[in-house]
Structure formats: C-alpha cells, structure tokens
Amino acid sequence: MPARLDYNQIAPNGVRALGGVYAYVLESDLPPDLVDLVYLRVSQINNCAYWLDVHTRDLMKRGVSVEKIALVQAWKEGGDLFDETERAALNWAESVTRIAATGVPEDAYLAAKAVFGDKLLVDLTIAITLMNAYDRLAISFQKDLTG
C-alpha cells in the first residue's frame, strides 16, 4: 500500500521533536531490551506493520530469542520467558495504550509503581506514549515498510 504522504518531509520540526523524546527515552535508566519489548507490544496492539517490523528487527539484533519475540503478544502465558520487570512493563504498556477501554486502573498503576518506582514509571509511560504517537503517524499516513 503506497504511503499517503511523507510526514517527515512535511513536518520535520514535529518529527524532530518526537526524536527528542526518543533520545530522552534512550538516555533513561530503562534497559534498552525492555523498551524495545514494550515498543513491540504497543505496536502489536495498534496493528502498526511499520513499527512491528522495526521493533522485531531491533530485538533480533540485540540477541533476543525468536521465541520471546513471537510470544510478546501472549506474554501472560509466556511462563518464565518474561521476568517480573518485563511482565510489569508489558502490563503497564497494555493498560496505557488501551486507555479508552481500561482507564488505567489503580491496581495496574500500583503494580507498575511497585516494580519501577516513580521516575522509571514516568519514563516508561513517556516511552509508551511516544510509541503510540509514532504508530498513529505511521498508520494514518500508511508509512511504507521500506522507510
């Protein structure tokens, strides 16, 4: 499916601003593999082919097993494949991404806060919010998988 428009060309300052948020997330104390797992889960929920491809490749380059990548969408049934921190991050990502349906309930917040504390939880939420924004741009304007 051809792209509707190239938002990078049309609004470079806006895209650069998002890039600044991306840089902030990279500089946070969140582990890069964890961030990419969360990004992948957000893009799965949003059905964003472009970013699903990017995150899958990024995780594979980092040496994350194909089994783990394949089971991100079913992490709750993944047994010991996902540790406590990953489970908390993926649960929080699902709740925040599906905010209209979940309202981000208190139990989800308390569970995430217990694992991440205040600062990392805010940073994780910024990362989730950023990926939702990137997904919405890519889906809305039909970003081509080739770039």
Side-chain angles (χ1 to χ4, degrees), residues 18-144:
L18 289 175
V21 177
Y22 181 79
Y24 173 84
V25 172
L26 286 176
E27 293 170 2
S28 76
D29 289 331
L30 293 166
D33 284 0
L34 180 71
V35 172
D36 279 337
L37 284 172
V38 165
Y39 284 167
L40 179 61
R41 184 64 191 124
V42 169
S43 294
Q44 287 173 338
I45 293 167
N46 291 326
N47 294 316
C48 183
Y50 176 80
W51 286 109
L52 281 168
D53 183 59
V54 170
H55 305 313
T56 299
R57 291 174 190 274
D58 287 348
L59 286 163
M60 290 174 71
K61 286 178 193 169
R62 290 182 190 280
V64 175
S65 72
V66 172
E67 177 186 30
K68 188 170 196 169
I69 294 167
L71 291 178
V72 167
Q73 67 187 2
W75 63 269
K76 289 177 186 174
E77 292 82 35
D80 293 337
L81 201 56
F82 298 94
D83 64 30
E84 177 189 9
T85 302
E86 291 166 337
R87 289 175 171 278
L90 293 166
N91 188 59
W92 185 247
E94 288 183 2
S95 190
V96 172
T97 298
R98 295 180 170 139
I99 196 165
T102 70
V104 188
E106 188 71 10
D107 63 333
Y109 165 72
L110 292 173
K113 184 174 173 159
V115 172
F116 293 104
D118 292 342
K119 176 69 165 85
L120 286 179
L121 183 57
V122 170
D123 289 346
L124 179 61
T125 307
I126 289 170
I128 293 163
T129 303
L130 174 66
M131 189 44 52
N132 274 289
Y134 277 138
D135 284 348
R136 281 152 176 75
L137 283 167
I139 293 166
S140 297
F141 301 118
Q142 299 177 349
K143 186 162 179 64
D144 187 338

